[in-house]
Amino acid sequence: LPAGLSQWFPALEVLDVSGTGLAEIGTELLSLPCLHTLLAKNNRLGGPGSLPKGLGQAPLARSLRVLNLSGNRFAEVPPALLRLRGLRSLSLGGNRLHGIPPEIQELHSLEFLYLGGNFITAIPPELAKLPSLRYLVLCDNKIQSIPPQLAQLHSLRSLSLHNNLLTYLPREILNLVHLEELSLRGNPLVVRFVRDLTYNPPSLQELAGRTVKTRNVPYAPSDLPESLVRYLSLASNCPNPKCGGVYFDSCVRQIKFVDFCGKYRLPLMHYLCSPECSSPFSSASQSSTSQSESDSEDEASVAAHRMQKVLLG
């Protein structure tokens, strides 16, 4: 950036230096007290010294509201950006990011976060601590799962996750009561339903505990060691309405599709007590098919109004 910028334009509010081949932003930027929008897309920023030292302490840290650094060469989110507490919009799409730092939670005013087109593999739970976030774009990455904490983003209106590696969504996503747009196309969960089940056989303790619970064997705290009484209290009911079984540590993960908008079905993770509950040849599975579909429809009727636009194709 040219020297004396603040002297020439002391009241500058918007600065666009996109597509100029810029590899470094100089300290001249720090003395622009009125600058609220900085666009530096499609440059060569990302190396050491790309951003001026002292950025987090300069007046700019308080005035800047919109920062777009998409199409550059950042391999990580610069720590200095996480000190720009007044930011409402941050774009770092099309860079070389492999992760999102937990410190992202410090940007309390952030409403728009664009991180599409990177190499991000995981979403930190701390991202859910952005109370004002309305638009979150994480498309075209390598994300394999969504942390259930993301359901705490109560202000979220749009969530773009297309072209990732997602095979299921956490059930908690139904708590995003204001979500209007959810983009999932290009994920494995859309193009196929994986039925491969991983199931560790129950231990003898679990088999005994299941028997006690399912057959209502009476017992009192004085009959068993305290550790076993505590263990028996941890039983989880199998969600298959025709099963009536319980499980402790050994269960089967399975995807349950829940209808939205009468057209799309979202895959949500739930757990069963054994493979028999999910086997297409088991009597329990066959007898509960209509009930399961009814459950899905009931859930959809409650949540359909929350998802006005679901993009799966």
Side-chain angles (χ1 to χ4, degrees), residues 13-247:
E13 296 182 355
V14 179
L15 177 61
D16 188 350
V17 290
S18 301
T20 59
L22 198 65
E24 178 181 332
I25 296 178
T27 56
E28 296 81 10
L29 192 72
L30 303 181
S31 53
L32 294 172
C34 300
L35 189 69
H36 61 70
T37 299
L38 174 60
L39 309 177
K41 303 179 293 180
N42 304 323
N43 284 300
R44 294 185 292 119
L45 299 169
S50 291
L51 300 180
K53 293 182 180 181
L55 178 60
Q57 292 77 36
L60 184 66
R62 295 185 294 272
S63 66
L64 201 59
R65 297 291 180 266
V66 177
L67 177 60
N68 193 326
L69 296 174
S70 293
N72 280 284
R73 303 176 182 181
F74 290 101
E76 62 179 16
V77 178
L81 298 188
L82 303 175
R83 301 189 185 97
L84 303 177
R85 305 297 168 81
L87 272 186
R88 296 177 183 171
S89 175
L90 174 60
S91 300
L92 282 165
N95 277 275
R96 303 171 183 178
L97 304 179
H98 284 78
I100 305 173
E103 294 77 11
I104 194 78
Q105 64 181 316
E106 301 299 329
L107 300 179
H108 297 298
S109 301
L110 206 60
E111 299 178 4
F112 178 90
L113 179 59
Y114 190 104
L115 297 174
N118 283 287
F119 303 96
I120 298 169
T121 58
I123 302 173
E126 290 80 3
L127 190 63
K129 297 181 180 180
L130 296 176
S132 303
L133 195 63
R134 295 168 58 89
Y135 301 92
L136 176 58
V137 181
L138 295 168
C139 60
D140 300 292
N141 278 287
K142 299 181 181 298
I143 299 169
Q144 300 183 40
S145 63
I146 303 300
Q149 291 87 347
L150 221 60
Q152 300 171 16
L153 292 172
H154 300 303
S155 298
L156 201 62
R157 297 294 190 274
S158 177
L159 177 58
S160 296
L161 294 166
H162 52 270
N163 298 331
N164 275 285
L165 302 176
L166 298 171
T167 56
Y168 71 93
L169 297 178
R171 184 178 182 83
E172 289 81 359
I173 201 169
L174 295 176
N175 294 328
L176 292 174
V177 296
H178 297 298
L179 197 63
E180 299 173 355
E181 181 176 279
L182 173 62
S183 178
L184 295 170
R185 65 183 184 273
N187 281 280
L189 63 82
V190 176
V191 298
R192 74 177 190 275
F193 173 40
V194 180
R195 299 190 61 90
D196 295 337
L197 303 176
T198 57
Y199 181 69
N200 295 320
S203 64
L204 292 177
Q205 176 175 280
E206 174 150 351
L207 289 174
R210 290 187 180 194
T211 301
V212 170
K213 286 293 186 179
T214 56
R215 299 191 178 186
N216 294 318
V217 176
Y219 66 91
S222 59
D223 299 330
L224 300 172
E226 182 181 351
S227 60
L228 290 182
V229 174
R230 189 184 312 113
Y231 179 78
L232 288 171
S233 69
L234 300 176
S236 298
N237 293 321
C238 182
N240 186 337
K242 299 297 184 180
C243 173
V246 299
Y247 63 88

